[in-house]
Amino acid sequence: MIKRSSARDRILETASQLFQERGYSEVGINEIIDKADTAKATFYQHFPSKESLCTEWLKAVHERSERVRQEILDSDLAPAEKIDRYFVGLGQFLEENDFRGCPYTNTGAVIDEECACIREKIESHKLAIRAFFHKLTAELCPTGRRAKALGDTLFLLFSGATVEGQNLRSLWPVEAARAAAGELCARESDPTAS
Amino acid sequence: MIKRSSARDRILETASQLFQERGYSEVGINEIIDKADTAKATFYQHFPSKESLCTEWLKAVHERSERVRQEILDSDLAPAEKIDRYFVGLGQFLEENDFRGCPYTNTGAVIDEECACIREKIESHKLAIRAFFHKLTAELCPTGRRAKALGDTLFLLFSGATVEGQNLRSLWPVEAARAAAGELCARESDPTAS
DNA sequence: TCATAAACAGACAGACTTGTCTGTAAAGTG
DNA sequence: CACTTTACAGACAAGTCTGTCTGTTTATGA
């Protein structure tokens, strides 16, 4: 007989999907356990609260996205190509998730102010993405002291593309951001070009 | 005796404040009517549902933001200065609202998919901002066929600054976006500069 | 002054929420 | 086999939510 995945895994996976699709605050525990085909007592045996389920979910999301960034960094592409690849990946992510945008941003918009634990996770996730761009722009223009500013610009283009892709349910913001990033990188590595 | 503002006005004003502070889905009607010092029957006399209150709120937000953009367009500043002014205004807005970000984006993250009425409002609000940037970039470089692309880039920087200002509770994303926008504008109006 | 409209207070319905609890059944381990 | 962990089923508490309803009070205008 096929061993079913553990109840905990089913709960976390189901919750991840539902949170991503409709948002943390719009999904209740009852629905999660129904769809995960488990019992409420089992849920509370593995997670002390709904909030802890949220942090586990976000942790998994962060780890996966860090792996993606690390793979890009480890690849032998040129810096500008690495950046381009990351924007292409964003487009795929949005399409795969029905343009639901960033789980961190979406969650941050609904949890209350005093939930410091989740707020910190949001901040560090965003700063990790920013640091990723900083690494790449430093690689791109090792002599330029504008690497940091360029990294911030790319980070903001990336965020803007994510959120407007979500708002407009469209891929054009990602493509526009990608094109802008490509041009900025080209200009930075060859400042004399038009 | 001082005439108190009408119950409807009090409800809408109170709801606007609470929705902005904590998000549409996190604020209940009971809290709104308590804080607005009115009765539930009165609420339902003026608004058929909570959702209709939401659309009224968003409508008012949109109208105010359109006025701000129109004022900038009507001013006698140079195009690049108009753009700069809009970014400065964003920083003020975020500070005044405790970095709660864009009401439209925040609401879009929690309302369900089939609520087409609100989805449309989000889309047209965002496209209005984009059109604003397009107008300015067309003014900035009347001959350049890259005006549209530049407008989109500025739009995405603006969105990115808004959402990351919210996520990080900080003003640096706005300042970084502003600086990047300034540089892009300068380069566009004088393409030979470094 | 009288009539009409608006606002009031608040009970109520019915469905939802998170979380606790009791007890039972199954599965893995010595 | 016996023991222990894990999962299951689901009632229950205590609270939330939106929305309806009844009836009273206050204000406004003819």
Side-chain angles (χ1 to χ4, degrees):
Chain A
M1 176 188 168
I2 297 164
K3 185 167 183 292
R4 224 162 44 135
S5 56
S6 79
R8 187 180 196 280
D9 289 350
R10 267 177 295 145
I11 290 168
L12 188 51
E13 200 165 323
T14 307
S16 299
Q17 200 180 320
L18 294 173
F19 287 163
Q20 172 71 42
E21 278 170 13
R22 304 214 311 277
Y24 170 68
S25 64
E26 304 308 298
V27 179
I29 285 180
N30 292 318
E31 186 182 353
I32 293 169
I33 60 172
D34 281 357
K35 297 231 163 98
D37 207 35
T38 186
K40 190 172 274 197
T42 309
F43 174 90
Y44 281 101
Q45 217 161 316
H46 291 290
F47 302 94
S49 65
K50 188 191 173 190
E51 197 180 299
S52 82
L53 179 62
C54 179
T55 68
E56 292 287 304
W57 165 53
L58 291 179
K59 199 178 114 196
V61 168
H62 179 69
E63 277 162 10
R64 186 166 357 176
S65 85
E66 278 284 83
R67 267 199 306 277
V68 168
R69 287 189 288 277
Q70 196 57 52
E71 266 175 35
I72 291 179
L73 286 176
D74 291 343
S75 74
D76 52 3
L77 297 169
E81 285 172 327
K82 290 181 181 175
I83 288 167
D84 188 64
R85 190 172 187 74
Y86 196 50
F87 277 92
V88 171
L90 172 62
Q92 287 168 357
F93 175 81
L94 285 183
E95 272 195 317
E96 280 163 18
N97 294 284
D98 282 309
F99 298 93
R100 275 288 309 171
C102 171
Y104 277 85
T105 297
N106 290 338
T107 304
V110 295
I111 54 154
D112 44 62
E113 207 59 44
E114 69 255 21
C115 183
C117 150
I118 291 179
R119 289 243 96 85
E120 283 161 21
K121 280 194 181 312
I122 295 171
E123 191 176 319
S124 67
H125 173 74
K126 293 295 178 178
L127 292 179
I129 298 177
R130 186 191 183 199
F132 168 77
F133 281 114
H134 281 163
K135 269 184 210 157
L136 290 179
T137 52
E139 216 181 310
L140 185 73
C141 43
T143 66
R145 65 195 185 296
R146 277 164 28 207
K148 240 189 170 91
L150 178 59
D152 283 343
T153 301
L154 296 178
F155 170 61
L156 294 175
L157 281 173
F158 186 84
S159 280
T162 307
V163 73
E164 295 311 333
Q166 175 178 16
N167 281 326
L168 300 168
R169 258 89 177 136
S170 166
L171 224 49
W172 76 253
V174 176
E175 283 311 317
R178 185 186 167 204
E183 212 174 317
L184 286 170
C185 290
R187 253 197 291 225
E188 199 59 37
S189 50
D190 178 12
T192 61
S194 96
Chain B
M1 179 188 168
I2 297 164
K3 185 169 183 289
R4 231 170 29 144
S5 56
S6 80
R8 188 181 195 281
D9 290 350
R10 268 176 295 146
I11 290 168
L12 188 51
E13 199 165 325
T14 308
S16 299
Q17 199 180 320
L18 294 173
F19 287 164
Q20 173 71 41
E21 279 170 13
R22 304 215 311 277
Y24 171 68
S25 65
E26 305 307 299
V27 179
I29 285 180
N30 292 317
E31 184 181 353
I32 293 169
I33 60 173
D34 281 358
K35 298 231 164 96
D37 207 34
T38 187
K40 191 173 271 199
T42 309
F43 175 90
Y44 281 100
Q45 216 161 318
H46 291 289
F47 301 95
S49 65
K50 189 190 173 191
E51 197 180 299
S52 82
L53 179 62
C54 180
T55 68
E56 292 287 304
W57 165 53
L58 291 179
K59 199 178 114 196
V61 167
H62 178 70
E63 277 161 11
R64 188 167 355 179
S65 84
E66 277 284 82
R67 266 199 305 277
V68 168
R69 286 189 288 276
Q70 196 57 53
E71 266 175 36
I72 291 179
L73 287 175
D74 291 343
S75 74
D76 52 2
L77 296 169
E81 285 173 327
K82 290 180 182 175
I83 289 167
D84 189 64
R85 191 173 186 77
Y86 197 49
F87 278 92
V88 171
L90 173 62
Q92 286 169 357
F93 175 81
L94 285 183
E95 273 195 315
E96 279 164 18
N97 293 284
D98 283 308
F99 297 93
R100 275 288 310 171
C102 171
Y104 278 85
T105 298
N106 290 339
T107 304
V110 295
I111 54 155
D112 43 68
E113 207 59 43
E114 69 255 22
C115 183
C117 150
I118 291 179
R119 289 244 95 86
E120 283 162 21
K121 279 193 180 314
I122 295 172
E123 191 176 320
S124 66
H125 174 74
K126 293 297 177 177
L127 292 179
I129 298 176
R130 186 192 185 199
F132 168 77
F133 281 114
H134 281 163
K135 267 184 212 160
L136 290 179
T137 53
E139 217 181 309
L140 185 74
C141 41
T143 67
R145 66 196 183 295
R146 285 182 1 224
K148 241 188 170 88
L150 178 59
D152 283 342
T153 302
L154 296 178
F155 171 61
L156 294 175
L157 281 172
F158 185 83
S159 280
T162 307
V163 73
E164 296 310 333
Q166 175 178 14
N167 281 325
L168 300 168
R169 258 85 177 139
S170 166
L171 224 47
W172 76 253
V174 176
E175 284 310 318
R178 186 186 166 202
E183 212 175 315
L184 286 170
C185 290
R187 254 199 289 225
E188 199 58 36
S189 51
D190 179 11
T192 61
S194 96

